[in-house]
Amino acid sequence: MREAEVMQIIRLEALSDNYIFLLHDQTQNIAAVVDPAEAEPVLKVLTELQAKLVAILNTHHHQDHVGGNKRLIQKFPRVTVYGGIEDRGRIPAQQVFLKEGSQVQFAERIAEVIFVPGHTRAHIAYYFPPQQAGELGDLFCGDTLFAGGCGRLFEGTPTQMVNSLDKLRSLPDDTRVWCAHEYTLNNLQFALTIDADNTDLQKRYHEVKTYRSQGKATIPSLLGVEKLTNPFLRWEQPTLQSAVNSSDPVQTFARIRGMKDKF
Ligand code: ZN
Ligand code: FE
């Protein structure tokens, strides 16, 4: 019997508030990187691990997610660059064009691609299901779902974003959410303005506030916690609907998003 493969996930800070995630397979000593905002922090860890970069997994074309692509390719010419099919021409050096249901293999793990337009029209997420019962799955969702929030609608409609978030929301509660920005405290401060009586939210806010005051990262979060506290996953909750004077789920979402844009 072989032992279970180990995929270590290393969280790297980049730019002002971005996270880059390095997936490291310890058996083969290979790595994949999700949304390299810049190359330096990635190259530093790869050197420390003496690991070879084999894949770049981009969620969307924004510069703070693809900014490191070119430099990483120079250092690792055989790396494969993945992104959404609708991002053709927008992601530097993209080689693989993914759509809903596509699969990406890294070492012994296989990620399922989820098409999540809204923040951009081409955005995708990568979901690694748990390998065994009782383990956690891992969702790399870029700027679609944030801890306590969601991405701005730059190229998509509220309807599209609700559909996209609904797909992410349907994943198991025991899924780690690896989003690309440390926006959690601000997101929860906003959430409290429209969902003040939510005790799960209150509790989370205080935890996150303590974490941040100690300089700790709040990512990953757990999807089960997001479902209870993130206003952008709770468009059918009567309390949120009445907070924005609507009984329509998409309109509720759109109004909450509009309020957050000005928060
Ligand atoms: Zn973005
Ligand atoms: Fe971003």
Side-chain angles (χ1 to χ4, degrees):
M1 276 265 296
R2 290 174 61 209
E3 291 192 22
E5 303 291 331
V6 182
M7 183 176 85
Q8 188 191 9
I9 302 174
I10 303 169
R11 183 191 57 233
L12 307 172
E13 293 182 9
L15 306 178
S16 58
D17 51 33
N18 275 80
Y19 289 124
I20 300 170
F21 304 114
L22 192 76
L23 318 184
H24 178 223
D25 179 81
Q26 292 160 321
T27 310
Q28 298 178 49
N29 206 17
I30 56 174
V33 66
V34 180
D35 282 353
E38 48 188 348
E40 292 307 326
V42 180
L43 292 170
K44 185 164 172 279
V45 177
L46 288 170
T47 303
E48 284 164 14
L49 296 169
Q50 304 245 310
K52 185 175 80 167
L53 185 69
V54 298
I56 297 174
L57 309 180
N58 290 125
T59 63
H60 66 295
H61 75 292
H62 285 160
Q63 183 64 19
D64 63 313
H65 298 256
V66 304
N69 278 23
K70 283 197 174 134
R71 180 105 200 278
L72 291 173
I73 295 158
Q74 283 167 6
K75 297 276 178 183
F76 296 92
R78 300 188 62 187
V79 72
T80 304
V81 182
Y82 298 85
I85 189 167
E86 304 290 336
D87 260 332
R88 188 180 287 272
R90 305 203 297 185
I91 292 177
Q94 183 177 359
Q95 293 162 299
V96 183
F97 302 87
L98 304 165
K99 55 183 199 279
E100 174 84 18
S102 297
Q103 295 189 328
V104 176
Q105 180 158 13
F106 169 66
E108 304 290 309
R109 300 283 299 268
I110 292 176
E112 297 165 6
V113 173
I114 308 170
F115 182 46
V116 287
H119 176 66
T120 71
R121 60 181 171 77
H123 203 301
I124 58 171
Y126 300 87
Y127 171 60
F128 289 89
Q131 286 185 294
Q132 294 172 24
E135 289 184 1
L136 298 166
D138 291 296
L139 173 68
F140 297 93
C141 49
D143 289 353
T144 297
L145 176 63
F146 289 131
C150 78
R152 282 178 189 259
L153 303 185
F154 286 120
E155 296 180 351
T157 65
T159 302
Q160 280 178 321
M161 193 61 151
V162 165
N163 286 336
S164 295
L165 290 168
D166 194 41
K167 289 187 206 172
L168 302 184
R169 194 177 69 161
S170 70
L171 296 171
D173 285 0
D174 285 343
T175 301
R176 279 183 292 222
V177 178
W178 302 87
C179 63
H181 290 272
E182 181 61 65
Y183 291 159
T184 317
L185 184 59
N186 177 269
N187 284 338
L188 297 179
Q189 280 165 344
F190 169 74
L192 280 171
T193 67
I194 49 167
D195 199 11
D197 296 332
N198 181 337
T199 50
D200 295 305
L201 174 59
Q202 292 165 1
K203 182 166 159 271
R204 186 180 188 194
Y205 170 72
H206 289 293
E207 284 169 4
V208 163
K209 205 175 156 196
T210 304
Y211 252 63
R212 293 306 293 151
S213 70
Q214 297 168 349
K216 291 182 190 159
T218 64
I219 309 302
S221 65
L222 264 189
L223 190 57
V225 173
E226 298 302 334
K227 291 178 194 178
L228 292 173
T229 59
N230 188 328
F232 296 101
L233 295 181
R234 293 164 54 76
W235 49 78
E236 61 288 82
Q237 290 293 320
T239 45
L240 288 179
Q241 292 190 350
S242 71
V244 296
N245 293 313
S246 178
S247 54
D248 175 70
V250 172
Q251 188 180 53
T252 298
F253 172 85
R255 288 185 178 173
I256 297 173
R257 186 59 259 178
M259 290 167 73
K260 178 66 171 70
D261 287 345
K262 296 188 205 103
F263 180 71

mmCIF file of all heavy atoms in Angstrom, residues 60 62 64-65 119 143, ligand 1:
data_model
loop_
_atom_site.group_PDB
_atom_site.id
_atom_site.type_symbol
_atom_site.label_atom_id
_atom_site.label_comp_id
_atom_site.label_asym_id
_atom_site.label_seq_id
_atom_site.Cartn_x
_atom_site.Cartn_y
_atom_site.Cartn_z
ATOM 1 N N HIS A 60 -7.954 34.411 -13.313
ATOM 2 C CA HIS A 60 -8.423 35.442 -14.248
ATOM 3 C C HIS A 60 -7.261 36.350 -14.600
ATOM 4 O O HIS A 60 -6.175 36.223 -14.051
ATOM 5 C CB HIS A 60 -9.628 36.209 -13.690
ATOM 6 C CG HIS A 60 -9.340 37.052 -12.481
ATOM 7 N ND1 HIS A 60 -8.954 36.529 -11.274
ATOM 8 C CD2 HIS A 60 -9.400 38.404 -12.283
ATOM 9 C CE1 HIS A 60 -8.798 37.510 -10.390
ATOM 10 N NE2 HIS A 60 -9.062 38.648 -10.984
ATOM 11 N N HIS A 62 -6.480 39.611 -14.370
ATOM 12 C CA HIS A 62 -6.025 40.852 -13.733
ATOM 13 C C HIS A 62 -4.547 40.772 -13.347
ATOM 14 O O HIS A 62 -4.047 39.721 -12.943
ATOM 15 C CB HIS A 62 -6.887 41.175 -12.507
ATOM 16 C CG HIS A 62 -8.244 41.707 -12.867
ATOM 17 N ND1 HIS A 62 -9.302 41.694 -11.997
ATOM 18 C CD2 HIS A 62 -8.706 42.267 -14.026
ATOM 19 C CE1 HIS A 62 -10.367 42.235 -12.596
ATOM 20 N NE2 HIS A 62 -10.038 42.580 -13.828
ATOM 21 N N ASP A 64 -2.812 41.703 -10.879
ATOM 22 C CA ASP A 64 -2.414 41.227 -9.546
ATOM 23 C C ASP A 64 -2.621 39.714 -9.385
ATOM 24 O O ASP A 64 -2.509 39.178 -8.284
ATOM 25 C CB ASP A 64 -3.146 42.005 -8.435
ATOM 26 C CG ASP A 64 -4.649 41.820 -8.479
ATOM 27 O OD1 ASP A 64 -5.240 41.928 -9.573
ATOM 28 O OD2 ASP A 64 -5.252 41.557 -7.411
ATOM 29 N N HIS A 65 -2.903 39.043 -10.499
ATOM 30 C CA HIS A 65 -3.040 37.577 -10.486
ATOM 31 C C HIS A 65 -2.116 36.902 -11.502
ATOM 32 O O HIS A 65 -1.833 35.724 -11.380
ATOM 33 C CB HIS A 65 -4.497 37.175 -10.751
ATOM 34 C CG HIS A 65 -5.411 37.692 -9.681
ATOM 35 N ND1 HIS A 65 -5.926 36.890 -8.696
ATOM 36 C CD2 HIS A 65 -5.832 38.956 -9.408
ATOM 37 C CE1 HIS A 65 -6.655 37.639 -7.861
ATOM 38 N NE2 HIS A 65 -6.608 38.886 -8.277
ATOM 39 N N HIS A 119 -16.930 38.681 -11.621
ATOM 40 C CA HIS A 119 -15.836 39.636 -11.385
ATOM 41 C C HIS A 119 -15.224 39.994 -12.736
ATOM 42 O O HIS A 119 -15.070 41.167 -13.074
ATOM 43 C CB HIS A 119 -14.815 39.007 -10.442
ATOM 44 C CG HIS A 119 -13.602 39.843 -10.191
ATOM 45 N ND1 HIS A 119 -13.638 41.048 -9.532
ATOM 46 C CD2 HIS A 119 -12.297 39.638 -10.520
ATOM 47 C CE1 HIS A 119 -12.409 41.550 -9.468
ATOM 48 N NE2 HIS A 119 -11.579 40.715 -10.064
ATOM 49 N N ASP A 143 -10.774 36.065 -7.226
ATOM 50 C CA ASP A 143 -11.522 37.236 -6.752
ATOM 51 C C ASP A 143 -13.027 37.031 -6.894
ATOM 52 O O ASP A 143 -13.780 37.998 -7.036
ATOM 53 C CB ASP A 143 -11.123 38.485 -7.547
ATOM 54 C CG ASP A 143 -9.726 38.977 -7.216
ATOM 55 O OD1 ASP A 143 -9.104 38.450 -6.285
ATOM 56 O OD2 ASP A 143 -9.264 39.903 -7.918
HETATM 57 ZN ZN ZN B 1 -9.366 40.608 -9.975
#
